[in-house]
Amino acid sequence: MKKTKRLTRPQKLVIGVGALILALGLANLVKMTIALDYAIRLPDLPMTVSWEYLAASGGAWAVLLFAAVVGLARFRPWGRWATLTASTLYAVFIWADHLLFDASEYARQTWPRDLLLTVLFLVIVWCALNWPPVRKVFRAKTKGK
């Protein structure tokens, strides 16, 4: 009878962060799909950015975030670094988009909430993946190869 390995607490935390990053990647995939659909249905809608830009950015971030999730799920050291890098760059990208393209007063009114959520997201990812027991999980995977 094959004995199944139980995940340790640090491994569960990595999987939890992976689920968060996966959800973000899926949201970007949905963004891409909706942008492509709307590009067909509403081609002449006046916007600050094009539907193609929204679709391309959603698709690119989905691919990058999914790649990071694969590395996390396999407990690869590159997955940890890819997740830290991708999540930070994604936050920077989102804020660049806000600053450059938010056209309405309502959009600017949501900035404090958005900033709080961005900081919370980055704190969760960075603290979880830099917690010493989690770092050991990734080092152990490298040594056991």
Side-chain angles (χ1 to χ4, degrees):
M1 194 155 138
K2 188 176 178 182
K3 206 174 198 181
T4 58
K5 283 187 175 180
R6 295 187 64 87
L7 292 176
T8 64
R9 188 173 183 194
Q11 288 173 326
K12 289 177 184 176
L13 185 57
V14 170
I15 297 301
V17 170
L20 176 64
I21 302 300
L22 178 63
L24 201 54
L26 289 171
N28 276 280
L29 191 60
V30 169
K31 173 184 167 181
M32 180 191 76
T33 305
I34 290 172
L36 291 172
D37 182 47
Y38 283 5
I40 295 166
R41 293 174 187 234
L42 304 167
D44 298 325
L45 184 68
M47 299 173 31
T48 56
V49 295
S50 68
W51 291 118
E52 292 78 15
Y53 170 81
L54 294 172
S57 66
W61 284 112
V63 168
L64 288 171
L65 294 168
F66 289 155
V69 168
V70 168
L72 281 182
R74 301 185 80 202
F75 301 108
R76 302 280 189 232
W78 64 263
R80 180 179 165 273
W81 284 108
T83 303
L84 292 170
T85 302
S87 60
T88 303
L89 290 176
Y90 183 73
V92 169
F93 172 79
I94 291 301
W95 276 98
D97 261 13
H98 276 311
L99 296 171
L100 294 171
F101 303 122
D102 281 357
S104 72
E105 184 60 32
Y106 174 74
R108 285 186 281 279
Q109 288 175 356
T110 66
W111 284 4
R113 181 208 62 200
D114 295 345
L115 180 60
L116 178 66
L117 291 173
T118 301
V119 169
L120 181 62
F121 167 72
L122 289 174
V123 165
I124 289 170
V125 171
W126 276 86
C127 287
L129 295 182
N130 281 309
W131 187 40
V134 168
R135 291 175 68 136
K136 284 181 186 175
V137 167
F138 290 100
R139 270 186 290 213
K141 186 69 174 180
T142 304
K143 289 178 185 175
K145 217 174 174 190

